[in-house]
């Protein structure tokens, strides 16, 4: 019998309080498992070891190599110290230990918690172990989230790396100090913009002088910052300049929480609304003074164009240059909208420059979508399967619950204002405290009233749609018989599109659509 030994050490295992807790080290795991395999007279096929990986991380390199070898049946047994060393997720316990391993003819054994798939009687205990490990992950995630939220609310920097222009204070955890070398570039960017230079022009000037962009700067200074695996990743781009010019950290305010994790089970993050950001003023020394900052923000507001919900924003952040991997930017010429590589103008020979009209790209996407629909979708079955009205009723119930919560909050603030006034009359509050508190209460109450009004409008629209009746057929046709795309459809159906350079001698532009399905 051939056995594959799997060991895992996570960061949590490194922070043990007692020497006796060292049993989770990689060396001790290996020794224990090799001894057990020898006692059982199993031949050790290979030893797979992931160092510094959590039990919920599905991207563990050795873990995935183990699964590939198991699928190829290169061994007969997977041997671990405990089931949680293999995975802490109940979903993966069911998928592999109870699902695919038996199909592949692989036996799973963990020696401390006595899990053994050859023993049919302990399946329930393995499932209970999986459930306990799942609860552990969830509790640990909530505890970490609570600690990080508290630190953000108190203005401590919690990121792995400081923002370009700053570095972590070695004497005070969570505090930023100015990195003068990078800060000089930040000041120059703000100054150039205030003098009328555009963001692309500023990026080109920095690239021409060979100044490394923030990512490359971190790498050159020995920080373990993951470099994007794409061409020209060391160049300054339009978006880097744009983000820098609006980041309040440069005026001494700590702004965090712009992105939040989808779930503790995945590394994926999604943008959070600005109302949920954590913003604390005057937490560190400013690089940009207030007059320059205010002048730049005013110029940005003057240059801002209203968002066009038509063809201009149709493929925003979805079209990517096939040559260099960067997001394509929109432009307009003689009333027509185009997408071009954002690298075309930032440096000499940065990219060959992908280019396509929005109209042409829309037609190519529609043609491919209709081809897929004709080939794979049963239209009648699709109409029957869409429970349109039931879905709308569910949306209505959820919206009503949300509106009810807003109404309760508004009532609380109304009562709070009344109580504040009574405290002032009784002499419990002085005028300045009353003014500050009532202003804060009134501001939040007004905000909630605006949100409530907007929600009531949404509810009215929803009720109108429900009143129209079951339009499942129209909904199905919306996706299988398209003539034009909308931004909503693009968001739902398309992850991204790579666009190549026009084929010489033709009008054909190669594209590759990466769907969300």
């Amino acid at each position: 019998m051939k056995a594959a030994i799997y060991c895992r050490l996570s960061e949590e295992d490194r922070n043990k309080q007692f020497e006796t807790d060292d049993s989770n080290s990689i060396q001790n795991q290996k020794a224990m498992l090799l001894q057990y395999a020898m006692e059982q007279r199993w031949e050790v096929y290979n030893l797979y070891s992931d160092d510094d990986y959590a039990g919920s991380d599905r991207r563990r390199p050795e873990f995935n190599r183990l699964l590939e070898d198991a699928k190829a049946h290169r061994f007969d047994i997977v041997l671990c110290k405990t089931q949680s060393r293999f995975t802490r997720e109940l979903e993966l316990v069911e998928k592999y230990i109870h699902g695919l391993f038996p199909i592949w003819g692989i036996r799973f054994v963990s020696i401390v918690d006595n899990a053994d798939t050859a023993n049919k009687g302990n399946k329930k205990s393995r499932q209970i172990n999986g459930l306990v490990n799942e609860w552990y992950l969830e509790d640990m995630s909530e505890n970490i989230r609570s600690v990080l939220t508290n630190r953000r609310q108190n203005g401590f920097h919690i990121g792995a790396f400081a923002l370009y222009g700053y570095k972590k204070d070695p004497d005070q955890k969570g505090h930023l100090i100015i990195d003068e070398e990078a800060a000089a570039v930040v000041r120059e960017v703000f100054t150039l913009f205030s003098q009328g230079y555009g963001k692309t022009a500023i990026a080109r000037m920095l690239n021409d002088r060979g100044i490394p962009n923030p990512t490359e700067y971190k790498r050159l200074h020995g920080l373990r910052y993951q470099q994007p695996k794409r061409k020209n990743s060391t160049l300054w781009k339009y978006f880097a300049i744009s983000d820098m010019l609006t980041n309040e950290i440069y005026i001494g305010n700590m702004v965090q929480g712009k992105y939040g994790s989808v779930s503790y089970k995945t590394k994926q993050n999604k943008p959070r609304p600005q109302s949920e950001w954590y913003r604390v003023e005057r937490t560190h020394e400013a690089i940009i003074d207030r007059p320059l900052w205010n002048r730049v923000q005013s110029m940005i507001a003057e240059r801002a164009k209203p968002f066009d919900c038509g063809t201009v924003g149709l493929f925003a952040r979805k079209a990517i240059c096939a040559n260099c991997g960067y997001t394509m930017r929109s432009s307009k010429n003689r009333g027509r909208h185009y997408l071009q590589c954002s690298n075309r103008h930032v440096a000499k020979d940065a990219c060959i420059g992908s280019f396509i009209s929005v109209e042409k790209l829309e037609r190519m996407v529609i043609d491919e979508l209709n081809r897929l629909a004709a080939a794979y979708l049963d239209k009648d079955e699709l109409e029957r399967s869409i429970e349109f009205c039931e879905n709308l009723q569910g949306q209505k119930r959820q919206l009503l619950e949300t509106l009810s919560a807003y109404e309760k909050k508004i009532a609380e603030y109304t009562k709070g204002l009344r109580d504040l006034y009574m405290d002032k009359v009784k002499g419990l509050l002085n005028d300045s405290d009353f003014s500050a508190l009532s202003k804060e209460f009134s501001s939040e109450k007004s905000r909630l009233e605006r949100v409530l009004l907007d929600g009531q409008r949404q509810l009215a629209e929803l009720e109108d749609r429900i009143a129209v009746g079951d339009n499942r057929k129209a909904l199905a046709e919306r996706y299988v018989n398209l003539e034009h795309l909308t931004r909503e459809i693009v968001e739902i159906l398309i992850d991204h599109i790579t666009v190549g350079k026009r084929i010489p001698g033709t009008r054909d532009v190669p594209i590759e659509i990466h769907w969300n399905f």
Side-chain angles (χ1 to χ4, degrees):
M1 301 289 285
K2 292 182 180 179
I5 291 176
Y6 179 73
C7 305
R8 178 181 64 80
L9 183 71
S10 65
E11 185 62 32
E12 68 200 68
D13 297 321
R14 299 183 185 280
N15 301 320
K16 300 298 179 183
Q17 296 180 355
F18 306 104
E19 292 183 3
T20 53
D21 288 343
D22 191 40
S23 58
N24 278 320
S25 72
I26 288 289
Q27 291 77 13
N28 285 342
Q29 284 185 57
K30 290 177 181 177
M32 179 188 295
L33 296 172
L34 285 170
Q35 176 69 24
Y36 187 85
M38 184 175 66
E39 291 172 356
Q40 301 298 318
R41 297 187 178 181
W42 294 338
E43 177 187 345
V44 175
Y45 169 76
N46 204 346
L47 201 152
Y48 304 80
S49 178
D50 282 315
D51 198 1
D52 198 13
Y53 284 91
S56 59
D57 194 341
R58 301 189 181 192
R59 299 178 300 175
R60 288 173 274 159
E62 289 294 281
F63 174 77
N64 285 300
R65 191 164 73 91
L66 171 78
L67 296 178
E68 288 295 322
D69 289 348
K71 186 176 181 180
H73 204 135
R74 295 193 172 101
F75 47 78
D76 308 291
I77 300 165
V78 172
L79 179 62
C80 300
K81 182 192 171 190
T82 63
Q83 184 175 296
S84 64
R85 293 292 109 185
F86 179 76
T87 181
R88 287 191 182 276
E89 290 191 71
L90 182 60
E91 179 185 345
L92 293 189
V93 170
E94 293 299 322
K95 180 178 180 179
Y96 290 108
I97 297 179
H98 297 151
L100 292 174
F101 280 4
I103 294 173
W104 296 339
I106 302 294
R107 176 183 173 188
F108 179 84
V109 177
S110 60
I111 57 179
V112 173
D113 49 11
N114 297 314
D116 186 351
T117 52
N119 181 356
K120 303 299 181 184
N122 72 3
K123 181 177 180 180
K124 288 183 179 179
S125 67
R126 295 194 301 271
Q127 290 174 323
I128 291 171
N129 285 339
L131 187 59
V132 170
N133 286 323
E134 185 85 13
W135 289 341
Y136 169 81
L137 279 178
E138 191 171 355
D139 289 345
M140 185 171 65
S141 173
E142 286 301 316
N143 290 338
I144 292 172
R145 189 189 301 272
S146 176
V147 171
L148 294 182
T149 296
N150 180 263
R151 290 188 63 79
R152 286 191 182 109
Q153 289 171 341
N154 286 284
F156 292 103
H157 178 265
I158 63 167
F161 302 94
L163 181 70
Y164 180 76
Y166 288 97
K167 55 187 177 182
K168 292 185 175 183
D169 188 343
D171 300 322
Q172 184 180 348
K173 189 174 182 180
H175 183 247
L176 298 181
I177 57 176
I178 293 178
D179 178 357
E180 284 299 337
E181 182 182 351
V185 178
V186 174
R187 295 187 190 101
E188 182 180 4
V189 169
F190 275 82
T191 302
L192 288 171
F193 188 84
S194 71
Q195 293 171 349
Y197 289 90
K199 298 168 187 175
T200 300
I202 295 172
R204 188 189 307 117
M205 292 166 69
L206 296 177
N207 290 330
D208 289 345
R209 285 159 50 195
I211 296 175
N213 69 0
T215 301
E216 180 67 2
Y217 181 83
K218 290 184 178 72
R219 189 188 68 80
L220 291 173
H221 284 73
L223 297 177
R224 294 171 55 192
Y225 193 81
Q226 190 171 0
Q227 186 104 352
K229 295 180 181 179
R230 51 190 179 187
K231 297 181 182 179
N232 304 308
S233 58
T234 64
L235 296 176
W236 286 88
K237 305 293 186 304
Y238 172 92
F239 294 110
I241 303 297
S242 180
D243 292 343
M244 178 184 290
L245 291 171
T246 57
N247 198 323
E248 285 190 58
I249 291 182
Y250 291 120
I251 56 171
N253 298 340
M254 186 61 67
V255 182
Q256 299 180 101
K258 294 182 179 180
Y259 290 83
S261 61
V262 176
S263 165
Y264 68 89
K265 293 186 178 183
T266 175
K267 300 290 185 181
Q268 182 183 355
N269 285 332
K270 65 177 182 179
R272 301 173 65 187
Q274 193 167 348
S275 59
E276 296 181 14
W277 295 358
Y278 300 94
R279 182 178 178 276
V280 183
E281 295 186 357
R282 297 184 293 277
T283 60
H284 54 275
E285 186 180 354
I287 293 176
I288 304 302
D289 60 50
R290 285 284 180 169
L292 177 56
W293 169 266
N294 292 336
R295 186 160 65 252
V296 166
Q297 301 317 304
S298 176
M299 292 175 68
I300 290 173
E302 289 172 3
R303 294 185 183 189
K305 299 175 182 178
F307 180 72
D308 185 343
C309 294
T311 54
V312 174
L314 190 60
F315 296 106
R317 301 277 184 167
K318 293 290 185 180
I320 295 172
C321 176
N323 177 254
C324 67
Y326 280 91
T327 304
M328 299 176 72
R329 289 176 55 197
S330 62
S331 62
K332 186 176 180 180
N333 186 23
R334 297 180 181 178
R336 297 188 67 187
H337 301 290
Y338 298 89
L339 293 167
Q340 60 180 342
C341 176
S342 58
N343 254 345
R344 293 183 74 186
H345 307 296
V346 298
K348 296 175 182 177
D349 304 321
C351 180
I352 58 173
S354 299
F355 184 87
I356 192 171
S357 74
V358 172
E359 182 182 1
K360 184 180 183 70
L361 182 58
E362 180 185 17
R363 177 44 51 196
M364 294 172 76
V365 171
I366 289 172
D367 289 346
E368 178 63 11
L369 187 59
N370 287 338
R371 185 191 68 78
L372 291 172
Y376 299 110
L377 292 182
D378 183 331
K379 194 172 176 181
D380 292 334
E381 180 62 29
L382 183 64
E383 291 171 13
R384 287 193 295 271
S385 66
I386 299 175
E387 299 176 352
F388 182 67
C389 280
E390 182 178 340
N391 184 42
L392 288 183
Q393 291 288 358
Q395 291 180 39
K396 180 181 177 181
R397 285 193 296 272
Q398 187 174 6
L399 188 55
L400 285 170
E401 290 175 3
T402 303
L403 294 179
S404 177
Y406 284 141
E407 288 170 347
K408 288 180 181 177
K409 276 288 184 184
I410 291 170
E412 288 173 9
Y413 278 110
T414 302
K415 182 178 181 299
L417 285 167
R418 189 165 55 247
D419 292 342
L420 282 175
Y421 179 75
M422 292 305 298
D423 286 346
K424 178 178 177 293
V425 171
K426 294 175 182 178
L428 299 176
L429 277 179
N430 57 40
D431 289 343
S432 61
D433 288 343
F434 171 77
S435 178
L437 290 170
S438 61
K439 184 179 179 181
E440 183 181 339
F441 276 40
S442 297
S443 175
E444 186 62 17
K445 180 171 176 283
S446 298
R447 186 188 70 81
L448 288 171
E449 286 172 344
R450 290 194 297 273
V451 173
L452 180 64
L453 187 62
D454 184 62
Q456 288 170 340
R457 283 196 294 267
Q458 292 180 38
L459 181 62
E461 292 173 3
L462 203 57
E463 288 174 338
D464 288 341
R465 291 170 65 190
I466 292 172
V468 168
D470 190 346
N471 61 346
R472 287 178 294 179
K473 184 174 181 179
L475 186 65
E477 288 177 347
R478 179 184 180 188
Y479 294 101
V480 299
N481 191 26
L482 291 171
E483 292 187 4
H484 292 286
L485 296 175
T486 65
R487 179 64 191 178
E488 180 188 10
I489 291 174
V490 170
E491 283 286 354
I492 292 171
L493 298 181
I494 299 173
D495 181 69
H496 68 277
I497 304 170
T498 57
V499 181
K501 190 170 176 62
R502 181 172 61 84
I503 299 171
T506 72
R507 293 190 174 184
D508 296 334
V509 178
I511 70 167
E512 186 174 296
I513 306 170
H514 296 257
W515 303 99
N516 280 328
F517 51 84

